[in-house]
């Protein structure tokens, strides 16, 4: 049977991938064309979205044409790219588990939120987040997202605020560390005690200005790292599921590749195709 089930299955899967690549690519192009009005967060997404969209588009087309039109060399390229993707996903999953294995928020007595220290996390994550180039972009993104202004809008008393279950970023960036012993005025407004001496540099870095707050503090960088750690763990679990799916697709693709070679030989196909194992 020249046109086997595996070819049809590879074609269907890649047609679905092709359809998914269109909105991803369109979203990246839309962000690129509206870059003058985009926030720093949106600008950060432009490149990756376009790259992912183009990659999925080209790979899905190679798999679709290679399987359905029996173009063996395109299917070979498709399988080679899939094999590289499997290796990359496997390595990234292992790496993600290693770099996120260390660090956690510190429970504070009488507080609903945790405190975060940059030194508690893996050195690789620390360096990537705290580097001047990366942090300037992350900081601008945090300011644009108004993550701290949402706390101010709640207009909570200090008893309510201390019981609040803050996210790592809110805890690290929107308030001073608890050890500073500042007087609470509002969630993003704290009064410093003029006679106090601080061992934590974040205490002197804190400012009540909305665009400053603790965005330049190590606690803020720690909060971002804590968020990254949580997100990477979730991504790692999804990667394992996706990796299993990719391996299955790759196996089906190998069957389709063998089908193409048999059909080519059956119809007298020659040339360089016959040289592949």
């Amino acid at each position: 049977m020249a046109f086997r089930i595996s070819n049809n299955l590879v074609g269907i899967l890649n047609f679905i991938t092709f359809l998914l690549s269109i909105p991803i690519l369109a979203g990246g192009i839309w962000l690129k064309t509206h870059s003058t009005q985009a926030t720093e967060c949106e600008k950060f997404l432009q490149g990756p979205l376009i790259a992912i969209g183009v990659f999925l588009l080209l790979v899905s087309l190679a798999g679709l044409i290679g399987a359905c039109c029996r173009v063996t060399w395109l299917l070979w390229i498709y399988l080679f790219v899939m094999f590289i993707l499997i290796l990359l996903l496997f390595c990234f999953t292992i790496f993600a588990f290693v770099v996120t294995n260390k660090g956690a928020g510190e429970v504070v007595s009488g507080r609903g939120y945790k405190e975060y220290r940059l030194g508690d996390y893996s050195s690789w994550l620390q360096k990537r987040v705290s580097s001047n180039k990366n942090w300037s972009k992350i900081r601008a993104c945090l300011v644009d997202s108004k993550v701290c202004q949402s706390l101010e809008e709640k207009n909570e008393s200090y008893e309510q605020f201390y019981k609040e279950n803050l996210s790592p970023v809110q805890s690290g960036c929107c308030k001073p560390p608890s050890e500073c012993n500042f007087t609470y005025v509002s969630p993003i407004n704290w009064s410093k005690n003029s006679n106090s001496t601080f061992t934590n540099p974040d205490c002197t870095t804190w400012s009540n200005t909305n665009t400053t707050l603790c965005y330049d503090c190590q606690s803020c960088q720690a909060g971002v790292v804590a968020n990254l750690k949580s997100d990477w763990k979730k991504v790692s679990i999804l990667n394992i599921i996706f990796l299993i799916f990719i391996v299955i697709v790759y196996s089906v693709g190998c069957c389709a590749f063998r089908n193409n070679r048999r059909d080519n030989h059956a119809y007298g196909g020659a040339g360089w195709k016959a040289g592949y194992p």
Side-chain angles (χ1 to χ4, degrees):
M1 185 177 179
F3 207 71
R4 295 173 175 84
I5 295 175
S6 56
N7 293 68
N8 291 332
L9 186 55
V10 171
I12 292 170
L13 291 173
N14 281 282
F15 180 70
I16 294 172
T17 305
F18 173 77
L19 294 178
L20 289 174
S21 70
I22 295 174
I24 295 174
L25 183 58
I29 294 173
W30 185 88
L31 286 176
K32 189 74 173 177
T33 55
H34 291 75
S35 59
T36 56
Q37 302 172 0
T39 64
E40 192 64 38
C41 294
E42 292 170 337
K43 291 178 182 177
F44 186 74
L45 291 173
Q46 291 172 7
L49 276 178
I50 293 175
I52 292 172
V54 171
F55 174 79
L56 290 176
L57 183 69
L58 294 177
V59 172
S60 60
L61 280 176
L64 183 63
I65 297 172
C68 296
C69 300
R70 292 183 295 173
V71 182
T72 307
W73 66 270
L74 265 182
L75 195 56
W76 187 89
I77 292 175
Y78 169 76
L79 290 175
F80 176 76
V81 173
M82 291 288 283
F83 179 73
I84 297 298
L85 182 60
I86 289 171
L87 287 180
L88 290 176
L89 281 174
F90 179 77
C91 293
F92 173 77
T93 302
I94 298 298
F95 176 75
F97 274 115
V98 170
V99 299
T100 59
N101 189 46
K102 182 182 177 184
E106 180 182 338
V107 177
V108 182
S109 178
R111 302 286 192 270
Y113 50 80
K114 296 179 180 180
E115 296 284 346
Y116 298 87
R117 301 178 187 277
L118 188 60
D120 292 341
Y121 298 90
S122 70
S123 57
W124 189 88
L125 282 176
Q126 289 183 47
K127 291 177 182 178
R128 294 305 174 276
V129 170
S130 61
S131 68
N132 292 333
K133 180 181 178 181
N134 291 337
W135 184 249
S136 62
K137 294 179 180 179
I138 296 171
R139 187 190 188 284
C141 184
L142 292 173
V143 174
D144 287 341
S145 65
K146 295 181 171 55
V147 64
C148 296
Q149 275 62 40
S150 61
L151 289 177
E152 184 72 3
E153 292 170 0
K154 292 183 179 180
N155 195 27
E156 295 177 320
S157 65
Y158 69 91
E159 291 93 350
Q160 292 173 317
F161 179 77
Y162 287 149
K163 294 178 181 178
E164 187 78 33
N165 183 21
L166 302 178
S167 69
V169 170
Q170 289 175 328
S171 177
C173 306
C174 304
K175 65 169 190 59
S178 297
E179 65 184 276
C180 299
N181 292 319
F182 290 170
T183 302
Y184 177 88
V185 179
S186 75
I188 59 173
N189 193 339
W190 299 73
S191 177
K192 295 182 179 181
N193 299 318
S194 56
N195 296 327
S196 299
T197 55
F198 308 115
T199 57
N200 188 336
D202 288 352
C203 298
T204 55
T205 303
W206 168 266
S207 171
N208 287 323
T209 306
N210 286 351
T211 56
T212 305
L213 299 178
C214 223
Y215 291 128
D216 296 315
C217 299
Q218 287 190 1
S219 64
C220 187
Q221 295 176 357
V224 172
V225 171
N227 259 12
L228 282 176
K229 176 185 174 180
S230 176
D231 291 342
W232 274 35
K233 281 191 175 295
K234 295 174 185 175
V235 168
S236 297
I237 295 172
L238 290 176
N239 269 353
I240 293 173
I241 298 172
F242 185 59
L243 189 58
I244 295 172
F245 173 75
I246 289 293
V247 170
I248 294 172
V249 173
Y250 178 78
S251 301
V252 175
C254 288
C255 293
F257 180 76
R258 286 198 298 268
N259 293 341
N260 282 7
R261 289 199 62 225
R262 287 169 186 165
D263 292 343
N264 289 333
H265 285 303
Y267 287 103
W272 68 276
K273 297 176 186 176
Y276 281 91

